[in-house]
DNA sequence: TATACTATGTGCTTGTGATAACAAGAGCAA
DNA sequence: TTGCTCTTGTTATCACAAGCACATAGTATA
């Protein structure tokens, strides 16, 4: 039976794994593999095959029972979910060491493309890092609106973050990835996500410490 | 009633929030706040006060009913959980742009200290970034054993990751934070965690896309 | 000392994600 | 067509985390 394209609510954990699956599928594709089974994806990603099937089933029925999934078509179906079918365009604020590392990383890998970067340092403005042009932070609103960018990565000192966040929200940004683990004030319709290496290391310390003390 | 120090099993989500609480408490401390309530922490961290209280209760009873928590003593109690009471020492593999950004970040902020870095590029070996000395990857086992380092951050190209992971495990590393979202082979007693900016951005794309399509 | 007040700590309910077990569908062969 | 095999898609169960709501215990005040 054909079902409506998306089930009611899709768990965040599933969405996170979808990113992982995409990586795996691309890897299979590059190896020339045409057909795979849920078990193959599961092994490669370190999850259970039932999880893979369940995750995929949230979006529709893509497999053939008794056979498996067609790598190519599964990939393009997943790409279709984000409606991008190409690069996912994002902006980056803060072209310091971390910021430029991310730009470099995005040129080498995967699906995300940083199409505009911003900094307040005049020495950096108007230069290019790879294909990414660096603008003044004063131009954030203009450029973001011009290119209809919806996602921004923030790689600036914590003290400046909220000020920039306000500008981004005003410019129409709908999701912010902050590289500093500090609370952000945003409207309800703006997604916020944190990535912080040192926080994660601290978390690992907690985990290790508790292992012995239980 | 005094209870045994740690309750049976502590949820991962709680441990993650503990890191966040630490940040908030330090922030309160710097502002000169002596006494706080669960509601204060909750607001600052964007969670419910009952969650804060429950999280803390996993480790013991630190508050005074009718008053709240003493900032200073709560902080040192939490620090005590990791048995470090000072810096948390970690190693870093790969002194590229990303790696050196992390080292710089760790000198400026928070609790984690990178006490040894490793690279295979001879130009980088024996130099120092801040207070962190850069060693040859050939010395990983020696140095890690010498300083009894238990946690390592990996910031190298995906193709080299597994090779380094094997060396780290052999050297006694018990937790690995990988900056590339690729599966790692490790023994069961080694914790593995991933932090990948671009994966997180992709995840946000999924989230935004689905918002409209439900 | 008694009483009112305040914020903690904690059972208990509720909701959500993970897991396993199973039913259903597709291909193939006789 | 019938039966067999294989792997998907789904259902039912289990485990766990979130949040409420209240009993508890300490503080302040008279």
């Amino acid at each position: 039976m054909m079902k409506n394209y998306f089930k009611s609510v899709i768990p965040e954990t599933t969405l996170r794994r979808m990113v992982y699956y995409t990586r795996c599928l691309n890897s299979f594709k590059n190896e020339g593999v045409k057909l795979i089974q849920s078990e193959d994806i599961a092994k490669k990603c370190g999850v259970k095959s039932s999880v893979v099937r369940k995750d995929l089933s949230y979006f529709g029925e893509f497999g053939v029972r008794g056979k498996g999934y067609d790598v190519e078509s599964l990939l393009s179906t997943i790409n279709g979910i984000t409606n991008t079918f190409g690069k996912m365009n994002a902006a980056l604020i803060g072209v310091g060491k971390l910021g430029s590392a991310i730009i470099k990383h995005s040129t080498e890998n995967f699906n995300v493309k940083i199409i505009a970067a911003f900094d307040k340092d005049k020495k950096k403005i108007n230069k290019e890092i790879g294909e990414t042009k660096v603008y003044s932070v004063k131009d954030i609103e203009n450029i973001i609106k011009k290119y209809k960018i919806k996602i921004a990565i923030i790689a600036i000192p914590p003290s400046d973050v909220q000020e920039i966040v306000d500008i981004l929200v005003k410019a129409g940004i709908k999701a912010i990835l902050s590289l500093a683990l500090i609370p952000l004030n945003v409207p309800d319709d703006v997604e916020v996500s944190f990535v912080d290496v040192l926080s994660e290391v601290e978390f690992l310390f907690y985990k290790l410490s508790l292992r012995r003390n239980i």
Side-chain angles (χ1 to χ4, degrees), chain A residues 92-110:
Chain A
L92 178 104
I93 327 292
V95 189
K97 276 197 176 183
L98 191 52
S100 48
I102 292 168
I103 294 176
K104 189 181 156 228
H105 199 204
S106 78
T107 58
E108 288 168 359
N109 295 295
F110 315 131

Side-chain angles (χ1 to χ4, degrees), chain A residues 36-59:
Chain A
I36 49 160
Q37 277 118 41
S38 59
E39 186 64 34
D40 301 325
I41 306 180
K43 268 190 188 149
K44 193 140 190 167
C45 296
V47 298
K48 309 243 174 181
S49 64
S50 59
V51 172
V52 174
R53 291 198 299 277
K54 180 143 221 195
D55 284 341
L56 293 176
S57 79
Y58 282 110
F59 300 96

Side-chain angles (χ1 to χ4, degrees), chain A residues 62 115 119 156:
Chain A
F62 310 125
I115 59 169
D119 206 289
I156 58 180

